[in-house]
Amino acid sequence: MQTSGVTTGQLRAQVGLCITVALLMNGSTGLVCYTTVESLDLGCLLQWDCPHASPNTTYTVQTKTQGDPWQDVSWCVWVSSRSCDISQAFSNFELYNMIRLGVHLSPSSTVWIEPRKFDYSDFTFSAPSVLVSLKDDELLVQVQFPCAANRRCSLERCCPISELIDPWTTVTVYNNLNHSEHQSRTVWTQEVVSYVELSGLAPGQNYCAVANFSFPTFSMAASPKSAPRCVQTVSKSGLLPVMFLGIGLTCLLLVPLLTVFLRRARRAAPAAEPQPKTPASDHDPVSLVPLPSVPVDLCDIHVEFADDRNLLQSPLQPGPDLHPGKHQ
Protein backbone atom coordinates (compact mmCIF):
# COMPACT_ATOMS: atom_id res chain seq x y z
CA MET A 1 0.00 0.00 0.00
CA GLN A 2 2.86 2.34 0.78
CA THR A 3 4.47 1.59 -2.50
CA SER A 4 1.16 2.16 -4.20
CA GLY A 5 0.81 5.48 -2.41
CA VAL A 6 4.19 6.63 -3.52
CA THR A 7 3.41 5.63 -7.02
CA THR A 8 0.11 7.46 -6.91
CA GLY A 9 1.83 10.59 -5.54
CA GLN A 10 4.44 10.52 -8.23
CA LEU A 11 1.81 10.13 -10.90
CA ARG A 12 -0.13 13.07 -9.48
CA ALA A 13 3.03 15.19 -9.43
CA GLN A 14 3.85 14.27 -12.99
CA VAL A 15 0.31 15.02 -14.14
CA GLY A 16 0.38 18.35 -12.31
CA LEU A 17 3.72 19.21 -13.91
CA CYS A 18 2.38 18.37 -17.33
CA ILE A 19 -0.68 20.53 -16.75
CA THR A 20 1.51 23.38 -15.54
CA VAL A 21 3.78 23.12 -18.55
CA ALA A 22 0.76 23.01 -20.84
CA LEU A 23 -0.67 26.09 -19.19
CA LEU A 24 2.67 27.87 -19.45
CA MET A 25 2.88 26.98 -23.14
CA ASN A 26 -0.58 28.48 -23.57
CA GLY A 27 0.56 31.57 -21.68
CA SER A 28 -2.40 31.44 -19.31
CA THR A 29 -0.92 30.50 -15.89
CA GLY A 30 2.42 31.41 -14.44
CA LEU A 31 3.43 33.39 -17.52
CA VAL A 32 1.39 36.45 -18.21
CA CYS A 33 2.73 39.17 -20.53
CA TYR A 34 1.05 42.47 -21.27
CA THR A 35 1.94 44.06 -24.59
CA THR A 36 1.31 47.60 -25.78
CA VAL A 37 2.02 49.36 -29.05
CA GLU A 38 2.82 53.03 -29.51
CA SER A 39 2.65 54.41 -33.01
CA LEU A 40 3.46 57.94 -34.09
CA ASP A 41 3.68 58.88 -37.77
CA LEU A 42 3.64 55.23 -38.88
CA GLY A 43 6.30 54.19 -36.38
CA CYS A 44 5.80 51.15 -34.16
CA LEU A 45 7.23 50.65 -30.67
CA LEU A 46 6.32 47.38 -28.98
CA GLN A 47 6.56 47.26 -25.16
CA TRP A 48 5.82 44.34 -22.86
CA ASP A 49 5.69 43.41 -19.22
CA CYS A 50 5.87 39.83 -17.93
CA PRO A 51 5.44 40.14 -14.13
CA HIS A 52 6.20 36.50 -13.31
CA ALA A 53 9.14 36.06 -15.66
CA SER A 54 12.67 35.69 -14.34
CA PRO A 55 14.89 38.79 -14.57
CA ASN A 56 17.20 36.78 -16.81
CA THR A 57 14.44 35.85 -19.25
CA THR A 58 15.10 36.70 -22.87
CA TYR A 59 12.61 37.54 -25.62
CA THR A 60 12.20 37.45 -29.37
CA VAL A 61 9.82 39.54 -31.47
CA GLN A 62 8.33 38.38 -34.75
CA THR A 63 6.17 40.16 -37.32
CA LYS A 64 3.90 38.94 -40.07
CA THR A 65 2.33 40.74 -43.03
CA GLN A 66 -0.78 39.37 -44.67
CA GLY A 67 0.21 36.51 -46.97
CA ASP A 68 3.74 36.10 -45.54
CA PRO A 69 5.10 33.75 -42.84
CA TRP A 70 6.27 34.86 -39.41
CA GLN A 71 9.70 36.48 -39.47
CA ASP A 72 12.13 37.39 -36.70
CA VAL A 73 12.86 41.07 -36.15
CA SER A 74 16.63 40.71 -36.49
CA TRP A 75 17.51 43.38 -33.90
CA CYS A 76 15.05 41.94 -31.35
CA VAL A 77 16.09 38.27 -31.08
CA TRP A 78 17.01 36.83 -27.65
CA VAL A 79 17.01 40.28 -26.05
CA SER A 80 16.57 40.97 -22.34
CA SER A 81 15.02 44.44 -22.83
CA ARG A 82 11.30 45.09 -22.46
CA SER A 83 10.75 47.01 -25.69
CA CYS A 84 11.54 46.83 -29.39
CA ASP A 85 11.24 49.50 -32.10
CA ILE A 86 9.91 47.63 -35.11
CA SER A 87 9.11 50.65 -37.27
CA GLN A 88 11.33 49.41 -40.08
CA ALA A 89 9.64 46.00 -40.13
CA PHE A 90 6.46 47.31 -41.83
CA SER A 91 6.14 48.90 -45.23
CA ASN A 92 2.60 48.15 -46.46
CA PHE A 93 -0.11 49.59 -44.25
CA GLU A 94 -2.98 48.58 -46.53
CA LEU A 95 -2.53 44.91 -45.51
CA TYR A 96 -2.90 43.19 -42.14
CA ASN A 97 0.23 43.37 -40.00
CA MET A 98 0.72 41.16 -36.95
CA ILE A 99 3.15 41.16 -33.99
CA ARG A 100 3.93 38.43 -31.50
CA LEU A 101 6.26 38.14 -28.51
CA GLY A 102 8.21 34.99 -27.73
CA VAL A 103 9.40 34.22 -24.19
CA HIS A 104 12.39 31.89 -23.90
CA LEU A 105 11.90 29.62 -20.88
CA SER A 106 15.02 27.71 -21.82
CA PRO A 107 17.38 27.45 -24.78
CA SER A 108 15.04 24.89 -26.32
CA SER A 109 11.67 26.11 -25.07
CA THR A 110 9.85 29.27 -26.25
CA VAL A 111 6.35 30.36 -25.36
CA TRP A 112 4.64 32.62 -27.92
CA ILE A 113 2.20 35.12 -26.52
CA GLU A 114 -1.04 35.54 -28.45
CA PRO A 115 -0.37 37.76 -31.50
CA ARG A 116 -1.89 41.15 -31.87
CA LYS A 117 -2.70 43.27 -34.91
CA PHE A 118 -0.96 46.49 -35.83
CA ASP A 119 -3.36 48.68 -37.81
CA TYR A 120 -4.99 52.10 -38.09
CA SER A 121 -6.48 51.83 -34.61
CA ASP A 122 -2.94 52.19 -33.24
CA PHE A 123 -1.98 55.17 -35.44
CA THR A 124 -1.41 58.68 -34.18
CA PHE A 125 -0.01 61.51 -36.27
CA SER A 126 1.75 64.82 -35.82
CA ALA A 127 0.14 67.96 -37.19
CA PRO A 128 1.06 69.03 -40.73
CA SER A 129 2.33 72.49 -41.67
CA VAL A 130 0.78 74.86 -44.20
CA LEU A 131 1.96 77.64 -46.50
CA VAL A 132 -0.48 80.13 -48.04
CA SER A 133 -0.25 82.45 -51.03
CA LEU A 134 -2.81 84.81 -52.52
CA LYS A 135 -3.54 85.26 -56.23
CA ASP A 136 -6.38 87.66 -57.07
CA ASP A 137 -9.30 86.31 -55.00
CA GLU A 138 -7.97 82.73 -54.80
CA LEU A 139 -6.05 81.33 -51.87
CA LEU A 140 -3.52 78.56 -52.56
CA VAL A 141 -2.78 76.38 -49.53
CA GLN A 142 0.21 74.03 -49.57
CA VAL A 143 0.11 71.23 -47.01
CA GLN A 144 3.37 69.58 -45.92
CA PHE A 145 3.20 66.29 -44.00
CA PRO A 146 5.35 65.22 -41.04
CA CYS A 147 8.30 62.90 -41.49
CA ALA A 148 7.48 59.24 -41.06
CA ALA A 149 9.11 57.31 -38.24
CA ASN A 150 9.12 54.38 -40.64
CA ARG A 151 12.45 54.79 -42.41
CA ARG A 152 11.75 52.67 -45.46
CA CYS A 153 12.81 55.40 -47.88
CA SER A 154 16.02 56.71 -46.29
CA LEU A 155 17.77 57.17 -42.98
CA GLU A 156 19.37 60.44 -44.04
CA ARG A 157 16.40 62.51 -45.15
CA CYS A 158 12.85 63.29 -44.14
CA CYS A 159 10.43 60.72 -45.46
CA PRO A 160 6.94 62.32 -45.46
CA ILE A 161 4.18 59.93 -44.53
CA SER A 162 2.59 60.71 -47.90
CA GLU A 163 5.33 58.56 -49.43
CA LEU A 164 3.95 55.58 -47.51
CA ILE A 165 0.20 56.25 -47.53
CA ASP A 166 -2.26 58.41 -49.52
CA PRO A 167 -3.99 60.45 -46.79
CA TRP A 168 -7.22 62.40 -46.91
CA THR A 169 -6.34 66.07 -46.43
CA THR A 170 -8.83 68.65 -45.18
CA VAL A 171 -8.12 72.38 -45.50
CA THR A 172 -10.29 74.94 -43.72
CA VAL A 173 -10.14 78.69 -44.46
CA TYR A 174 -11.90 81.14 -42.15
CA ASN A 175 -12.21 84.89 -41.74
CA ASN A 176 -10.08 85.86 -38.78
CA LEU A 177 -12.45 88.72 -37.91
CA ASN A 178 -15.61 86.64 -38.43
CA HIS A 179 -15.15 82.93 -37.76
CA SER A 180 -18.67 82.16 -38.98
CA GLU A 181 -17.37 82.86 -42.49
CA HIS A 182 -15.41 79.74 -43.37
CA GLN A 183 -15.14 77.04 -46.01
CA SER A 184 -13.50 73.60 -46.09
CA ARG A 185 -12.29 71.27 -48.78
CA THR A 186 -11.14 67.64 -48.51
CA VAL A 187 -8.92 66.03 -51.13
CA TRP A 188 -7.32 62.63 -51.53
CA THR A 189 -3.60 63.31 -51.59
CA GLN A 190 -1.58 61.13 -53.94
CA GLU A 191 1.49 63.35 -54.03
CA VAL A 192 4.18 64.08 -51.46
CA VAL A 193 2.78 67.62 -50.99
CA SER A 194 -0.91 68.54 -51.18
CA TYR A 195 -2.18 71.71 -52.91
CA VAL A 196 -5.68 73.06 -52.31
CA GLU A 197 -7.20 76.16 -53.95
CA LEU A 198 -10.10 78.07 -52.42
CA SER A 199 -11.88 81.05 -53.99
CA GLY A 200 -14.66 83.49 -53.16
CA LEU A 201 -12.66 85.52 -50.67
CA ALA A 202 -13.95 88.99 -49.82
CA PRO A 203 -11.57 91.92 -50.40
CA GLY A 204 -10.02 93.73 -47.48
CA GLN A 205 -10.29 90.78 -45.07
CA ASN A 206 -7.85 88.68 -43.07
CA TYR A 207 -8.13 84.95 -43.84
CA CYS A 208 -6.42 82.07 -42.05
CA ALA A 209 -5.93 78.48 -43.21
CA VAL A 210 -5.51 75.29 -41.17
CA ALA A 211 -5.16 71.68 -42.31
CA ASN A 212 -5.19 68.15 -40.96
CA PHE A 213 -5.13 64.68 -42.50
CA SER A 214 -6.28 61.14 -41.77
CA PHE A 215 -5.38 57.59 -42.70
CA PRO A 216 -7.12 56.53 -45.97
CA THR A 217 -10.75 55.47 -45.39
CA PHE A 218 -10.34 55.69 -41.58
CA SER A 219 -11.06 59.20 -40.32
CA MET A 220 -10.64 58.04 -36.71
CA ALA A 221 -6.88 57.93 -37.28
CA ALA A 222 -6.49 61.64 -37.87
CA SER A 223 -3.89 64.23 -37.10
CA PRO A 224 -4.48 67.42 -35.09
CA LYS A 225 -4.90 70.64 -37.02
CA SER A 226 -1.89 72.62 -38.13
CA ALA A 227 -0.96 76.02 -36.81
CA PRO A 228 -2.89 78.70 -38.74
CA ARG A 229 -1.33 80.74 -41.52
CA CYS A 230 -3.01 84.03 -42.39
CA VAL A 231 -3.04 86.43 -45.33
CA GLN A 232 -4.64 89.84 -45.96
CA THR A 233 -6.73 90.29 -49.10
CA VAL A 234 -6.46 93.63 -50.94
CA SER A 235 -9.48 95.93 -50.68
CA LYS A 236 -11.02 97.51 -53.77
CA SER A 237 -10.38 101.04 -52.48
CA GLY A 238 -6.78 100.10 -52.01
CA LEU A 239 -6.54 99.10 -55.66
CA LEU A 240 -7.20 102.62 -56.94
CA PRO A 241 -3.93 104.18 -55.74
CA VAL A 242 -2.09 101.20 -57.15
CA MET A 243 -3.80 101.62 -60.51
CA PHE A 244 -3.07 105.35 -60.61
CA LEU A 245 0.51 104.73 -59.66
CA GLY A 246 0.82 102.17 -62.44
CA ILE A 247 -0.69 104.56 -64.98
CA GLY A 248 1.62 107.38 -63.87
CA LEU A 249 4.71 105.20 -64.14
CA THR A 250 3.61 104.00 -67.57
CA CYS A 251 3.20 107.58 -68.79
CA LEU A 252 6.60 108.58 -67.44
CA LEU A 253 8.17 105.76 -69.38
CA LEU A 254 6.22 106.13 -72.63
CA VAL A 255 6.38 109.94 -73.08
CA PRO A 256 10.21 110.12 -73.40
CA LEU A 257 10.20 107.13 -75.73
CA LEU A 258 7.57 108.69 -77.98
CA THR A 259 9.46 112.00 -78.04
CA VAL A 260 12.71 110.34 -79.10
CA PHE A 261 10.90 108.28 -81.72
CA LEU A 262 9.20 111.32 -83.29
CA ARG A 263 12.47 113.27 -83.41
CA ARG A 264 14.23 110.46 -85.19
CA ALA A 265 11.38 110.11 -87.64
CA ARG A 266 11.58 113.83 -88.54
CA ARG A 267 15.32 113.68 -89.07
CA ALA A 268 15.06 110.63 -91.26
CA ALA A 269 12.35 112.12 -93.53
CA PRO A 270 14.06 113.95 -96.63
CA ALA A 271 12.90 117.32 -97.84
CA ALA A 272 10.42 117.19 -100.73
CA GLU A 273 12.42 117.91 -103.92
CA PRO A 274 11.51 117.43 -107.62
CA GLN A 275 13.02 114.20 -108.89
CA PRO A 276 15.02 114.48 -112.21
CA LYS A 277 13.65 112.58 -115.13
CA THR A 278 15.49 109.47 -116.04
CA PRO A 279 17.08 109.84 -119.53
CA ALA A 280 15.98 107.36 -122.09
CA SER A 281 18.41 104.52 -122.67
CA ASP A 282 20.24 104.32 -126.00
CA HIS A 283 19.29 100.66 -126.16
CA ASP A 284 15.52 101.27 -126.00
CA PRO A 285 13.80 99.94 -129.10
CA VAL A 286 11.69 103.07 -129.34
CA SER A 287 12.87 106.46 -128.14
CA LEU A 288 10.35 109.06 -127.23
CA VAL A 289 11.50 112.04 -129.31
CA PRO A 290 9.24 115.08 -129.60
CA LEU A 291 7.85 115.35 -133.11
CA PRO A 292 8.51 118.55 -135.12
CA SER A 293 5.66 120.82 -135.85
CA VAL A 294 6.50 120.77 -139.62
CA PRO A 295 3.68 119.15 -141.65
CA VAL A 296 4.58 115.78 -143.18
CA ASP A 297 3.22 114.49 -146.48
CA LEU A 298 1.78 111.01 -146.09
CA CYS A 299 3.08 110.08 -149.53
CA ASP A 300 6.63 110.34 -148.24
CA ILE A 301 6.08 107.50 -145.71
CA HIS A 302 7.13 104.05 -146.94
CA VAL A 303 6.55 100.72 -145.18
CA GLU A 304 8.58 97.57 -145.94
CA PHE A 305 7.97 93.93 -144.83
CA ALA A 306 10.94 91.57 -145.06
CA ASP A 307 11.53 88.07 -143.57
CA ASP A 308 8.33 88.16 -141.50
CA ARG A 309 9.82 90.87 -139.30
CA ASN A 310 8.02 94.17 -138.77
CA LEU A 311 10.41 96.99 -139.21
CA LEU A 312 9.53 100.60 -138.93
CA GLN A 313 11.60 102.49 -141.45
CA SER A 314 11.99 106.23 -141.27
CA PRO A 315 11.60 108.44 -144.44
CA LEU A 316 15.37 108.88 -144.52
CA GLN A 317 15.98 105.22 -145.48
CA PRO A 318 15.46 104.18 -149.15
CA GLY A 319 13.02 101.38 -149.82
CA PRO A 320 11.11 99.76 -152.65
CA ASP A 321 8.53 101.87 -154.35
CA LEU A 322 5.02 100.76 -153.60
CA HIS A 323 3.59 102.86 -156.48
CA PRO A 324 5.78 102.13 -159.60
CA GLY A 325 3.31 103.67 -161.97
CA LYS A 326 3.61 107.06 -160.39
CA HIS A 327 7.27 107.58 -161.46
CA GLN A 328 6.96 106.38 -165.04
PDB file of all heavy atoms in Angstrom, residues 67-88:
ATOM      1  N   GLY A  67      -0.288  37.316 -45.862  1.00  0.00           N
ATOM      2  CA  GLY A  67       0.213  36.506 -46.968  1.00  0.00           C
ATOM      3  C   GLY A  67       1.627  36.017 -46.802  1.00  0.00           C
ATOM      4  O   GLY A  67       2.093  35.193 -47.603  1.00  0.00           O
ATOM      5  N   ASP A  68       2.347  36.499 -45.774  1.00  0.00           N
ATOM      6  CA  ASP A  68       3.740  36.096 -45.542  1.00  0.00           C
ATOM      7  C   ASP A  68       3.844  35.289 -44.249  1.00  0.00           C
ATOM      8  O   ASP A  68       2.984  35.398 -43.364  1.00  0.00           O
ATOM      9  CB  ASP A  68       4.656  37.327 -45.453  1.00  0.00           C
ATOM     10  CG  ASP A  68       4.693  38.108 -46.749  1.00  0.00           C
ATOM     11  OD1 ASP A  68       4.494  37.494 -47.808  1.00  0.00           O
ATOM     12  OD2 ASP A  68       4.910  39.336 -46.696  1.00  0.00           O
ATOM     13  N   PRO A  69       4.904  34.502 -44.093  1.00  0.00           N
ATOM     14  CA  PRO A  69       5.104  33.755 -42.838  1.00  0.00           C
ATOM     15  C   PRO A  69       5.643  34.661 -41.745  1.00  0.00           C
ATOM     16  O   PRO A  69       6.045  35.805 -41.989  1.00  0.00           O
ATOM     17  CB  PRO A  69       6.128  32.684 -43.243  1.00  0.00           C
ATOM     18  CG  PRO A  69       6.906  33.331 -44.351  1.00  0.00           C
ATOM     19  CD  PRO A  69       5.931  34.185 -45.106  1.00  0.00           C
ATOM     20  N   TRP A  70       5.685  34.135 -40.520  1.00  0.00           N
ATOM     21  CA  TRP A  70       6.273  34.864 -39.405  1.00  0.00           C
ATOM     22  C   TRP A  70       7.780  35.015 -39.627  1.00  0.00           C
ATOM     23  O   TRP A  70       8.453  34.088 -40.067  1.00  0.00           O
ATOM     24  CB  TRP A  70       6.018  34.136 -38.092  1.00  0.00           C
ATOM     25  CG  TRP A  70       4.614  34.251 -37.600  1.00  0.00           C
ATOM     26  CD1 TRP A  70       3.639  33.305 -37.702  1.00  0.00           C
ATOM     27  CD2 TRP A  70       4.040  35.372 -36.928  1.00  0.00           C
ATOM     28  NE1 TRP A  70       2.466  33.753 -37.141  1.00  0.00           N
ATOM     29  CE2 TRP A  70       2.693  35.019 -36.649  1.00  0.00           C
ATOM     30  CE3 TRP A  70       4.496  36.611 -36.519  1.00  0.00           C
ATOM     31  CZ2 TRP A  70       1.821  35.886 -35.988  1.00  0.00           C
ATOM     32  CZ3 TRP A  70       3.634  37.479 -35.872  1.00  0.00           C
ATOM     33  CH2 TRP A  70       2.318  37.127 -35.609  1.00  0.00           C
ATOM     34  N   GLN A  71       8.272  36.216 -39.309  1.00  0.00           N
ATOM     35  CA  GLN A  71       9.702  36.479 -39.471  1.00  0.00           C
ATOM     36  C   GLN A  71      10.248  37.140 -38.212  1.00  0.00           C
ATOM     37  O   GLN A  71       9.572  37.985 -37.600  1.00  0.00           O
ATOM     38  CB  GLN A  71       9.962  37.379 -40.683  1.00  0.00           C
ATOM     39  CG  GLN A  71       9.579  36.749 -42.013  1.00  0.00           C
ATOM     40  CD  GLN A  71       9.845  37.674 -43.183  1.00  0.00           C
ATOM     41  OE1 GLN A  71      10.161  38.864 -42.998  1.00  0.00           O
ATOM     42  NE2 GLN A  71       9.736  37.151 -44.396  1.00  0.00           N
ATOM     43  N   ASP A  72      11.477  36.757 -37.854  1.00  0.00           N
ATOM     44  CA  ASP A  72      12.129  37.393 -36.705  1.00  0.00           C
ATOM     45  C   ASP A  72      12.486  38.838 -37.031  1.00  0.00           C
ATOM     46  O   ASP A  72      12.890  39.151 -38.153  1.00  0.00           O
ATOM     47  CB  ASP A  72      13.411  36.651 -36.330  1.00  0.00           C
ATOM     48  CG  ASP A  72      13.139  35.274 -35.740  1.00  0.00           C
ATOM     49  OD1 ASP A  72      12.012  35.043 -35.274  1.00  0.00           O
ATOM     50  OD2 ASP A  72      14.076  34.436 -35.762  1.00  0.00           O
ATOM     51  N   VAL A  73      12.330  39.707 -36.042  1.00  0.00           N
ATOM     52  CA  VAL A  73      12.862  41.070 -36.148  1.00  0.00           C
ATOM     53  C   VAL A  73      14.327  40.970 -35.743  1.00  0.00           C
ATOM     54  O   VAL A  73      14.631  40.763 -34.567  1.00  0.00           O
ATOM     55  CB  VAL A  73      12.084  42.041 -35.253  1.00  0.00           C
ATOM     56  CG1 VAL A  73      12.688  43.444 -35.345  1.00  0.00           C
ATOM     57  CG2 VAL A  73      10.613  42.070 -35.634  1.00  0.00           C
ATOM     58  N   SER A  74      15.224  41.086 -36.700  1.00  0.00           N
ATOM     59  CA  SER A  74      16.626  40.707 -36.493  1.00  0.00           C
ATOM     60  C   SER A  74      17.276  41.420 -35.314  1.00  0.00           C
ATOM     61  O   SER A  74      18.156  40.858 -34.661  1.00  0.00           O
ATOM     62  CB  SER A  74      17.428  40.964 -37.775  1.00  0.00           C
ATOM     63  OG  SER A  74      17.366  42.334 -38.133  1.00  0.00           O
ATOM     64  N   TRP A  75      16.875  42.639 -35.007  1.00  0.00           N
ATOM     65  CA  TRP A  75      17.506  43.378 -33.904  1.00  0.00           C
ATOM     66  C   TRP A  75      16.773  43.144 -32.568  1.00  0.00           C
ATOM     67  O   TRP A  75      17.106  43.762 -31.575  1.00  0.00           O
ATOM     68  CB  TRP A  75      17.560  44.871 -34.221  1.00  0.00           C
ATOM     69  CG  TRP A  75      16.238  45.481 -34.594  1.00  0.00           C
ATOM     70  CD1 TRP A  75      15.355  46.078 -33.749  1.00  0.00           C
ATOM     71  CD2 TRP A  75      15.650  45.530 -35.888  1.00  0.00           C
ATOM     72  NE1 TRP A  75      14.254  46.508 -34.438  1.00  0.00           N
ATOM     73  CE2 TRP A  75      14.406  46.186 -35.763  1.00  0.00           C
ATOM     74  CE3 TRP A  75      16.038  45.086 -37.158  1.00  0.00           C
ATOM     75  CZ2 TRP A  75      13.557  46.402 -36.848  1.00  0.00           C
ATOM     76  CZ3 TRP A  75      15.196  45.314 -38.235  1.00  0.00           C
ATOM     77  CH2 TRP A  75      13.980  45.953 -38.085  1.00  0.00           C
ATOM     78  N   CYS A  76      15.781  42.253 -32.577  1.00  0.00           N
ATOM     79  CA  CYS A  76      15.050  41.940 -31.348  1.00  0.00           C
ATOM     80  C   CYS A  76      14.924  40.417 -31.180  1.00  0.00           C
ATOM     81  O   CYS A  76      13.819  39.876 -31.023  1.00  0.00           O
ATOM     82  CB  CYS A  76      13.670  42.588 -31.349  1.00  0.00           C
ATOM     83  SG  CYS A  76      13.705  44.383 -31.226  1.00  0.00           S
ATOM     84  N   VAL A  77      16.047  39.725 -31.255  1.00  0.00           N
ATOM     85  CA  VAL A  77      16.091  38.273 -31.079  1.00  0.00           C
ATOM     86  C   VAL A  77      16.923  37.953 -29.840  1.00  0.00           C
ATOM     87  O   VAL A  77      18.069  38.418 -29.715  1.00  0.00           O
ATOM     88  CB  VAL A  77      16.668  37.586 -32.335  1.00  0.00           C
ATOM     89  CG1 VAL A  77      16.823  36.082 -32.089  1.00  0.00           C
ATOM     90  CG2 VAL A  77      15.782  37.837 -33.549  1.00  0.00           C
ATOM     91  N   TRP A  78      16.334  37.207 -28.895  1.00  0.00           N
ATOM     92  CA  TRP A  78      17.006  36.831 -27.652  1.00  0.00           C
ATOM     93  C   TRP A  78      17.527  38.072 -26.897  1.00  0.00           C
ATOM     94  O   TRP A  78      18.680  38.150 -26.482  1.00  0.00           O
ATOM     95  CB  TRP A  78      18.156  35.858 -27.911  1.00  0.00           C
ATOM     96  CG  TRP A  78      17.698  34.507 -28.382  1.00  0.00           C
ATOM     97  CD1 TRP A  78      17.407  34.142 -29.657  1.00  0.00           C
ATOM     98  CD2 TRP A  78      17.459  33.367 -27.569  1.00  0.00           C
ATOM     99  NE1 TRP A  78      17.001  32.835 -29.718  1.00  0.00           N
ATOM    100  CE2 TRP A  78      17.040  32.312 -28.435  1.00  0.00           C
ATOM    101  CE3 TRP A  78      17.581  33.088 -26.197  1.00  0.00           C
ATOM    102  CZ2 TRP A  78      16.714  31.048 -27.962  1.00  0.00           C
ATOM    103  CZ3 TRP A  78      17.264  31.816 -25.752  1.00  0.00           C
ATOM    104  CH2 TRP A  78      16.832  30.812 -26.623  1.00  0.00           C
ATOM    105  N   VAL A  79      16.657  39.047 -26.759  1.00  0.00           N
ATOM    106  CA  VAL A  79      17.014  40.275 -26.050  1.00  0.00           C
ATOM    107  C   VAL A  79      16.432  40.222 -24.649  1.00  0.00           C
ATOM    108  O   VAL A  79      15.417  39.554 -24.387  1.00  0.00           O
ATOM    109  CB  VAL A  79      16.502  41.529 -26.806  1.00  0.00           C
ATOM    110  CG1 VAL A  79      17.183  41.661 -28.147  1.00  0.00           C
ATOM    111  CG2 VAL A  79      14.986  41.496 -26.946  1.00  0.00           C
ATOM    112  N   SER A  80      17.062  40.925 -23.721  1.00  0.00           N
ATOM    113  CA  SER A  80      16.574  40.970 -22.338  1.00  0.00           C
ATOM    114  C   SER A  80      15.812  42.259 -22.038  1.00  0.00           C
ATOM    115  O   SER A  80      15.303  42.433 -20.928  1.00  0.00           O
ATOM    116  CB  SER A  80      17.748  40.842 -21.363  1.00  0.00           C
ATOM    117  OG  SER A  80      18.703  41.878 -21.596  1.00  0.00           O
ATOM    118  N   SER A  81      15.732  43.181 -23.022  1.00  0.00           N
ATOM    119  CA  SER A  81      15.015  44.439 -22.825  1.00  0.00           C
ATOM    120  C   SER A  81      13.510  44.177 -22.826  1.00  0.00           C
ATOM    121  O   SER A  81      13.036  43.080 -23.123  1.00  0.00           O
ATOM    122  CB  SER A  81      15.381  45.431 -23.915  1.00  0.00           C
ATOM    123  OG  SER A  81      14.997  44.938 -25.182  1.00  0.00           O
ATOM    124  N   ARG A  82      12.766  45.214 -22.521  1.00  0.00           N
ATOM    125  CA  ARG A  82      11.303  45.093 -22.463  1.00  0.00           C
ATOM    126  C   ARG A  82      10.619  45.917 -23.553  1.00  0.00           C
ATOM    127  O   ARG A  82       9.442  46.230 -23.443  1.00  0.00           O
ATOM    128  CB  ARG A  82      10.789  45.549 -21.094  1.00  0.00           C
ATOM    129  CG  ARG A  82      11.307  44.741 -19.912  1.00  0.00           C
ATOM    130  CD  ARG A  82      10.828  43.299 -19.973  1.00  0.00           C
ATOM    131  NE  ARG A  82      11.125  42.581 -18.720  1.00  0.00           N
ATOM    132  CZ  ARG A  82      12.241  41.909 -18.515  1.00  0.00           C
ATOM    133  NH1 ARG A  82      13.181  41.876 -19.453  1.00  0.00           N
ATOM    134  NH2 ARG A  82      12.420  41.259 -17.371  1.00  0.00           N
ATOM    135  N   SER A  83      11.346  46.251 -24.582  1.00  0.00           N
ATOM    136  CA  SER A  83      10.753  47.007 -25.693  1.00  0.00           C
ATOM    137  C   SER A  83      11.531  46.734 -26.971  1.00  0.00           C
ATOM    138  O   SER A  83      12.698  46.285 -26.925  1.00  0.00           O
ATOM    139  CB  SER A  83      10.732  48.514 -25.395  1.00  0.00           C
ATOM    140  OG  SER A  83      12.057  49.006 -25.302  1.00  0.00           O
ATOM    141  N   CYS A  84      10.891  47.025 -28.092  1.00  0.00           N
ATOM    142  CA  CYS A  84      11.536  46.825 -29.395  1.00  0.00           C
ATOM    143  C   CYS A  84      10.890  47.775 -30.400  1.00  0.00           C
ATOM    144  O   CYS A  84       9.661  47.778 -30.567  1.00  0.00           O
ATOM    145  CB  CYS A  84      11.367  45.379 -29.858  1.00  0.00           C
ATOM    146  SG  CYS A  84      12.055  45.051 -31.511  1.00  0.00           S
ATOM    147  N   ASP A  85      11.717  48.596 -31.041  1.00  0.00           N
ATOM    148  CA  ASP A  85      11.239  49.496 -32.096  1.00  0.00           C
ATOM    149  C   ASP A  85      11.231  48.717 -33.412  1.00  0.00           C
ATOM    150  O   ASP A  85      12.273  48.407 -33.980  1.00  0.00           O
ATOM    151  CB  ASP A  85      12.157  50.716 -32.200  1.00  0.00           C
ATOM    152  CG  ASP A  85      11.617  51.755 -33.180  1.00  0.00           C
ATOM    153  OD1 ASP A  85      10.613  51.465 -33.881  1.00  0.00           O
ATOM    154  OD2 ASP A  85      12.198  52.856 -33.265  1.00  0.00           O
ATOM    155  N   ILE A  86      10.045  48.429 -33.889  1.00  0.00           N
ATOM    156  CA  ILE A  86       9.909  47.628 -35.115  1.00  0.00           C
ATOM    157  C   ILE A  86       9.342  48.460 -36.267  1.00  0.00           C
ATOM    158  O   ILE A  86       8.676  47.941 -37.155  1.00  0.00           O
ATOM    159  CB  ILE A  86       9.034  46.386 -34.869  1.00  0.00           C
ATOM    160  CG1 ILE A  86       7.695  46.788 -34.253  1.00  0.00           C
ATOM    161  CG2 ILE A  86       9.760  45.393 -33.967  1.00  0.00           C
ATOM    162  CD1 ILE A  86       6.766  45.612 -34.031  1.00  0.00           C
ATOM    163  N   SER A  87       9.627  49.761 -36.232  1.00  0.00           N
ATOM    164  CA  SER A  87       9.109  50.653 -37.272  1.00  0.00           C
ATOM    165  C   SER A  87       9.559  50.226 -38.660  1.00  0.00           C
ATOM    166  O   SER A  87       8.804  50.326 -39.633  1.00  0.00           O
ATOM    167  CB  SER A  87       9.555  52.092 -36.997  1.00  0.00           C
ATOM    168  OG  SER A  87       9.096  52.534 -35.741  1.00  0.00           O
ATOM    169  N   GLN A  88      10.793  49.770 -38.768  1.00  0.00           N
ATOM    170  CA  GLN A  88      11.330  49.409 -40.079  1.00  0.00           C
ATOM    171  C   GLN A  88      10.842  48.057 -40.569  1.00  0.00           C
ATOM    172  O   GLN A  88      11.135  47.668 -41.704  1.00  0.00           O
ATOM    173  CB  GLN A  88      12.858  49.408 -40.031  1.00  0.00           C
ATOM    174  CG  GLN A  88      13.455  50.764 -39.672  1.00  0.00           C
ATOM    175  CD  GLN A  88      14.970  50.732 -39.690  1.00  0.00           C
ATOM    176  OE1 GLN A  88      15.570  50.161 -40.594  1.00  0.00           O
ATOM    177  NE2 GLN A  88      15.593  51.328 -38.695  1.00  0.00           N
TER     178      GLN A  88
END
